[in-house]
């Protein structure tokens, strides 16, 4: 009996094992035949062809949208990176400029303590630059032969102003001024200087500048000087720029202060206009605050000024020349804007010291014809260093009259001219 039960149990265990094995085999077969399961297969098989196409199309559209969004985001990201680089560069330049300014201040001398009240005086004279003859060896050779104490008078001229240049040269020779140089802007003036034993300099060919120099009128040539004078300063020379509508009556170098980067004659005709005044602006609508005080001064004349060879003077020339090269502007207006406009947000003003010349020594033609010639005492006592016929179009005749009055002593030489240009 016991043996029979053992056999029965063994038989049952074998059957269970066989059933398990058969189940495993069936499961594997089903997995091969229906890899996505019974329900998914039915669901997929129930989709129509159109539905499958729509599903595929929707997927494609989603993909395109994602690509478009990604491209747009990439573009915005690149733009932000560009703006960041620009801001970083501006910050770097600002820091560099601030550091350079600090170094320049330190290079001027050791730091000092402020003295007692009333004894403190700020620095007015910037140090001169080191001369660099490699800039223009030919010009350097000319300047060495004619300059006096490293200073020179420079006049730019072309054939259009030859008659006025003759009057000016005659006045220079009469005073025996040796350090006078004509920048000949064309072959005619070069030949004229050779014939009259006048020191001259003919620049190397420059297609752009030569076109202005050879054919330009008074204003065009006047604007050209800011490009030309740079090399004179780089060579370490103080330059007294003179337009050709000027008569010399004394040696101007004996009447300069040389305590500023720029020393210029004024267009002003009185103490107020030439040297500055507080001009009150009245706006009644503001009530209690109706009066606004403004500081005014008539412009420096860009036809007669002295430049010391300093970094500030060279920067002034560069600034003016750059602006004139980009737009048709009046050189005298730009000259004064760069000299006087202060620093402000997004603009750094020129840190140049400046001095206005005595208006009765360095006299403009408005002062002469509206004031001096009508005052008998001033006619006798006032003898200017130069007279600049800047306010009147009949320049040559007035220049000759100035010579007649101040050199030849003809007392009525100035009388026939009107005050203005009428």
């Amino acid at each position: 009996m016991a043996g029979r039960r053992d056999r029965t149990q063994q038989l049952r265990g074998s059957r269970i094992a066989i059933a398990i094995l058969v189940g495993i085999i069936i499961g594997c077969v089903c997995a091969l035949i229906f890899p996505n399961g019974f329900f998914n297969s039915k669901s997929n098989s129930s989709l129509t062809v159109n539905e499958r196409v729509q599903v595929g199309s929707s997927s494609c559209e989603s993909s395109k949208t994602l690509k478009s969004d990604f491209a747009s985001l990439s573009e915005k990201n690149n733009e932000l990176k560009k703006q960041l680089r620009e801001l970083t560069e501006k910050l770097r330049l600002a820091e560099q400029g601030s550091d350079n300014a600090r170094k320049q201040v330190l290079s001027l001398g050791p730091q000092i303590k402020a003295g007692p009240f009333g004894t403190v005086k700020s620095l007015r004279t910037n140090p001169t630059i080191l001369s660099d003859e490699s800039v223009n060896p030919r010009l350097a050779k000319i300047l060495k032969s004619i300059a006096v104490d490293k200073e020179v008078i420079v006049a730019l001229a072309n054939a259009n102003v030859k008659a006025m240049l003759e009057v000016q040269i005659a006045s220079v020779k009469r005073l025996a001024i040796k350090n006078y140089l004509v920048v000949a802007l064309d072959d005619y003036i070069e030949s004229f200087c050779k014939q009259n034993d006048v020191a001259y300099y003919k620049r190397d060919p420059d297609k752009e500048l030569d076109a202005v120099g050879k054919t330009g009128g008074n204003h065009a040539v006047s604007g050209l000087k800011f490009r030309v004078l740079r090399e004179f300063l780089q060579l370490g020379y103080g330059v007294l720029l003179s337009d050709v509508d000027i008569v010399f009556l004394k040696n101007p170098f004996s009447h300069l202060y040389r305590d500023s980067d720029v020393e210029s004659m004024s267009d002003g005709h009185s103490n107020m206009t030439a040297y500055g005044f507080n001009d009150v602006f009245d706006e009644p609508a503001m009530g209690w605050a109706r009066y606004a005080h403004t500081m005014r001064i008539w412009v420096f004349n860009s036809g007669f000024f002295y430049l010391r060879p300093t970094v500030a003077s060279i920067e002034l020339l560069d600034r003016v020349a750059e602006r004139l090269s980009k737009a048709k502007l009046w050189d005298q207006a730009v000259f004064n804007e760069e000299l006087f406009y202060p620093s402000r947000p997004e603009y750094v003003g020129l840190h140049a010291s400046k001095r206005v010349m005595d208006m009765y020594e360095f006299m403009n033609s408005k002062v002469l014809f509206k004031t001096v010639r009508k005052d008998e005492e001033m006619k006798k006592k006032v003898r200017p260093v130069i007279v600049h016929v800047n306010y009147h179009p009949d320049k040559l005749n007035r220049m000759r009259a100035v010579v007649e009055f101040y050199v030849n002593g003809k007392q009525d030489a100035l009388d026939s001219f009107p005050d203005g240009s009428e």
Side-chain angles (χ1 to χ4, degrees):
M1 291 292 291
R4 186 176 298 175
R5 279 197 300 269
D6 291 338
R7 284 196 297 272
T8 303
Q9 289 176 352
Q10 290 176 355
L11 182 61
R12 286 178 180 174
S14 298
R15 288 177 179 173
I16 293 171
I18 292 169
I20 292 172
L21 180 61
V22 170
I24 291 172
I25 292 171
I26 292 171
C28 290
V29 171
C30 290
L32 290 173
I33 296 173
F34 305 105
N36 295 320
F38 290 103
F39 297 102
N40 285 340
S41 296
K42 290 178 181 179
S43 175
N44 287 340
S45 61
S46 65
L47 291 174
T48 64
V49 173
N50 289 336
E51 288 174 335
R52 290 178 183 177
V53 171
Q54 288 176 358
V55 170
S57 176
S58 177
S59 299
C60 290
E61 289 176 0
S62 299
S63 177
K64 289 180 181 179
T65 303
L66 288 173
K67 288 181 179 179
S68 176
D69 291 344
F70 180 77
S72 177
L73 289 172
S74 297
E75 185 177 348
K76 289 181 180 179
N77 186 47
N78 291 334
E79 182 66 24
L80 288 173
K81 286 182 178 179
K82 182 181 177 182
Q83 292 177 1
L84 180 61
R85 285 196 299 269
E86 290 176 352
L87 290 173
T88 303
E89 180 64 14
K90 287 182 179 179
L91 179 62
R92 186 188 69 78
L93 291 174
E95 291 175 347
Q96 184 182 31
S98 176
D99 189 53
N100 286 340
R102 183 182 63 82
K103 289 178 180 178
Q104 286 182 17
V105 171
L106 293 176
S107 69
L108 297 178
Q111 291 177 290
I112 61 173
K113 293 182 179 180
F117 179 82
T119 66
V120 178
K121 300 294 181 183
S122 62
L123 185 67
R124 290 169 176 77
T125 307
N126 286 320
T128 57
I129 63 169
L130 293 174
S131 61
D132 183 6
E133 292 191 3
S134 65
V135 170
N136 192 330
R138 185 164 62 87
L139 178 58
K141 184 178 180 181
I142 296 172
L143 293 177
K144 279 183 179 179
S145 66
I146 69 165
V148 176
D149 296 330
K150 297 280 286 185
E151 294 178 324
V152 62
I153 298 173
V154 176
L156 279 69
N158 61 18
N160 294 335
V161 296
K162 183 251 186 183
M164 288 187 289
L165 180 64
E166 283 184 304
V167 177
Q168 182 175 101
I169 289 174
S171 70
V172 168
K173 287 187 174 182
R174 185 169 51 250
L175 297 168
I177 298 174
K178 304 298 183 183
N179 50 342
Y180 174 85
L181 179 73
V182 174
V183 176
L185 300 176
D186 56 27
D187 296 335
Y188 182 85
I189 294 298
E190 179 183 17
S191 177
F192 170 80
C193 290
K194 287 180 180 178
Q195 294 171 9
N196 291 273
D197 194 27
V198 177
Y200 73 93
Y201 166 62
K202 185 82 178 318
R203 297 171 51 259
D204 292 332
D206 185 310
K207 185 177 181 181
E208 178 184 353
L209 299 184
D210 287 347
V212 176
K214 292 179 179 179
T215 62
N218 196 41
H219 280 295
V221 171
S222 185
L224 181 63
K225 64 197 169 202
F226 297 98
R227 295 280 292 272
V228 174
L229 293 182
R230 192 185 204 278
E231 291 182 339
F232 287 80
L233 298 184
Q234 284 182 280
L235 294 172
Y237 289 85
V239 177
L240 183 59
L241 184 279
S242 173
D243 281 356
V244 294
D245 56 346
I246 290 173
V247 177
F248 289 85
L249 300 169
K250 297 178 185 178
N251 190 326
F253 290 111
S254 301
H255 299 267
L256 297 177
Y257 284 79
R258 300 176 180 84
D259 64 348
S260 303
D261 297 303
V262 183
E263 197 167 342
S264 176
M265 72 173 294
S266 173
D267 269 4
H269 60 94
S270 64
N271 286 340
M272 288 178 60
T273 57
Y275 309 135
F277 64 102
N278 181 4
D279 186 28
V280 180
F281 176 77
D282 184 10
E283 189 177 5
M286 288 299 294
W288 174 81
R290 65 183 291 179
Y291 300 111
H293 291 257
T294 70
M295 298 307 299
R296 297 190 63 185
I297 185 172
W298 284 32
V299 294
F300 283 8
N301 189 283
S302 63
F304 192 87
F305 56 82
Y306 176 76
L307 296 179
R308 294 179 62 251
T310 65
V311 170
S313 296
I314 294 175
E315 185 182 359
L316 170 64
L317 296 178
D318 288 350
R319 287 184 176 214
V320 177
E322 182 182 13
R323 287 184 58 187
L324 293 177
S325 69
K326 294 179 178 178
K328 289 185 177 181
L329 304 169
W330 185 26
D331 67 280
Q332 182 160 290
V334 176
F335 177 69
N336 279 271
E337 288 169 0
E338 293 301 333
L339 267 178
F340 286 97
Y341 279 174
S343 297
R344 59 181 184 269
E346 299 183 359
Y347 175 80
V348 178
L350 181 71
H351 296 172
S353 56
K354 45 196 170 288
R355 168 183 281 274
V356 61
M357 294 174 173
D358 187 314
M359 68 172 180
Y360 290 113
E361 288 191 333
F362 299 90
M363 191 183 294
N364 63 57
S365 56
K366 184 173 184 177
V367 172
L368 176 60
F369 286 96
K370 283 202 70 176
T371 305
V372 173
R373 70 165 176 169
K374 296 179 180 181
D375 187 306
E376 291 300 323
E377 188 173 356
M378 294 185 77
K379 284 176 69 175
K380 294 176 183 178
K381 293 184 177 180
V382 175
R383 184 176 178 85
V385 176
I386 62 107
V387 172
H388 187 182
V389 188
N390 60 315
Y391 270 102
H392 300 90
D394 50 340
K395 297 178 181 296
L396 181 59
N397 290 334
R398 292 190 188 241
M399 288 176 72
R400 288 171 175 165
V402 168
V403 174
E404 287 294 321
F405 180 77
Y406 283 110
V407 178
N408 299 329
K410 188 177 179 181
Q411 293 302 300
D412 62 348
L414 305 175
D415 295 347
S416 62
F417 297 94
D419 288 354
S421 58
E422 65 272 14

